[in-house]
Amino acid sequence: MTRIAVASRGEQDSRVVVFDPDTWQRIGELTGLPGGLAMARLPDGPALYLADGSGELVSISVPGDGAPALLGRRPSGGQLPCALAIDPSGRFVISAHYATAELTVHPIGADRALEPLAWTRNHDGSGPVAGRQDSAHLHHVNFDPVHGTAVVTDLGSDRLYEYAFGPDGQPDLVDEILAPSGSGPRHSVFHPDGSLLVSDELSSTVSRYRRDPATGRLECTDTIGTRETADGPDNYPSELVLGPDAEVVYVANRGRDTIAVIELTGPQPALVQEQSCGGAFPLHLAVVGDQLLCANLQSDAITALPIEGGRLGEARPVASVPGPVWISPLERA
């Protein structure tokens, strides 16, 4: 049975709450945490790792039927860690920092708590959008399931960095890929066909990257808008996640408070639906069974949207959490 862990960033107290998604009753929660920004789940063990705004990484145990418990804290190695990923070996947590653009590596100990910082890689650069691209801002880390490398998005310099990691976790830069100018690449997801989909925060688009058959390098091949019209409030896409059959990708639209549904089956991506998220400032998404879960930061709500044939039905609130920022499905141990 799947459980749902939600990281929250409330004004007074941030926490990680574990829910039973059938009833949305709270199984347990860990309170007194700093302001959460992102979370990652250990695939083969009952542990979560939380990045927070104070520059710490928090290790949390999540036993099968119990409440989450603190395992330890470590300095993240930079300012504003905003994304975490666990390497394919399950031995290292890779962190991206927004404010100071470090990529850092922490080993995972035998007790599943993080060990001290092992490696740091710095980045610099800028882009054309004043105030948002004056310097590098790493925003996401995502491992390619085929190549085993990690793609790191840099919102500040319109770049993607591809890294390989040695047996001791040492990062080795494999490639540097240019994103569309002024796009502000934020989050990414790999498609089963090997392509990479990236949400572009500053241009309100999704870009698709494919590997060149001759060189193996990722190259931007398609870009599609995430809103039906340009009217209305400014819009900043955040999380994106594939649908159950990978024929569509769902994109959270912060500003319009909608979920864009982009179809991937044609020769080019196509926006086929824009559905209300049922809350305010949708930050993170997760597909669980036949529904899409959405963390609405500014309305303190988790909403669920039914999925049918890839399209989304009307959102309904299922849980109230102060400032939800991340949703992680957990397999019961």
Side-chain angles (χ1 to χ4, degrees):
M1 175 184 173
T2 300
R3 297 163 296 152
I4 305 297
V6 175
S8 78
R9 186 170 76 232
E11 291 185 4
Q12 303 298 325
D13 181 23
S14 298
R15 61 190 63 200
V16 170
V17 185
V18 178
F19 291 95
D20 176 343
D22 291 331
T23 63
W24 287 99
Q25 296 296 309
R26 297 188 180 209
I27 297 172
E29 58 187 301
L30 178 62
T31 61
L33 297 174
L37 294 176
M39 196 159 58
R41 176 181 63 87
L42 187 63
D44 62 351
L48 291 168
Y49 303 99
L50 178 73
D52 70 75
S54 68
E56 281 190 333
L57 302 183
V58 182
S59 305
I60 301 168
S61 69
V62 279
D65 295 311
L70 182 68
L71 285 174
R73 302 174 187 263
R74 293 288 184 189
S76 68
Q79 296 178 29
L80 283 181
C82 60
L84 304 173
I86 297 169
D87 82 305
S89 76
R91 297 169 51 231
F92 303 99
V93 168
I94 319 300
S95 307
H97 293 77
Y98 184 85
T100 45
E102 292 96 353
L103 186 74
T104 60
V105 181
H106 288 73
I108 299 173
D111 61 353
R112 301 190 179 95
L114 293 183
E115 296 182 347
L117 177 68
W119 300 99
T120 301
R121 289 291 180 269
N122 297 311
H123 302 77
D124 55 24
S126 61
V129 181
R132 294 299 312 275
Q133 293 188 313
D134 299 332
S135 62
H137 297 300
L138 302 190
H139 217 309
H140 197 239
V141 183
N142 184 22
F143 277 91
D144 184 334
V146 175
H147 293 80
T149 52
V151 172
V152 181
T153 56
D154 183 351
L155 184 149
S157 70
D158 292 326
R159 282 176 171 82
L160 311 180
Y161 298 98
E162 186 171 9
Y163 278 95
F165 294 86
D168 61 352
Q170 180 176 1
D172 177 29
L173 183 62
V174 174
D175 201 4
E176 184 176 321
I177 303 104
L178 292 179
S181 179
S183 60
R186 180 185 171 100
H187 281 196
S188 69
V189 62
F190 275 97
H191 191 274
D193 68 6
S195 62
L196 179 72
L197 301 162
V198 178
S199 62
D200 301 318
E201 178 172 329
L202 302 183
S203 59
S204 193
T205 57
V206 167
S207 294
R208 180 164 61 181
Y209 296 76
R210 295 187 183 276
R211 291 196 182 272
D212 183 284
T215 65
R217 297 191 65 198
L218 286 165
E219 298 177 348
C220 184
T221 58
D222 303 286
T223 298
I224 182 72
T226 67
R227 49 189 173 171
E228 293 175 342
T229 68
D231 299 336
D234 292 338
N235 189 61
Y236 304 98
S238 52
E239 176 69 331
L240 75 172
V241 61
L242 293 173
D245 55 8
E247 293 184 350
V248 300
V249 63
Y250 304 116
V251 190
N253 279 327
R254 295 172 301 160
R256 291 175 69 90
D257 293 338
T258 62
I259 309 296
V261 182
I262 295 175
E263 196 168 77
L264 304 171
T265 55
Q268 294 180 321
L271 178 65
V272 295
Q273 185 186 13
E274 189 181 356
Q275 175 71 297
S276 170
C277 68
F281 213 72
L283 196 60
H284 195 254
L285 306 173
V287 172
V288 178
D290 59 356
Q291 61 183 351
L292 178 71
L293 301 180
C294 178
N296 297 282
L297 178 71
Q298 294 179 357
S299 54
D300 301 334
I302 303 295
T303 53
L305 293 82
I307 300 172
E308 185 173 352
R311 304 302 192 266
L312 296 175
E314 185 175 350
R316 63 183 179 89
V318 293
S320 178
V321 182
V325 297
W326 208 271
I327 303 170
S328 289
L330 306 172
E331 295 300 324
R332 189 177 295 277

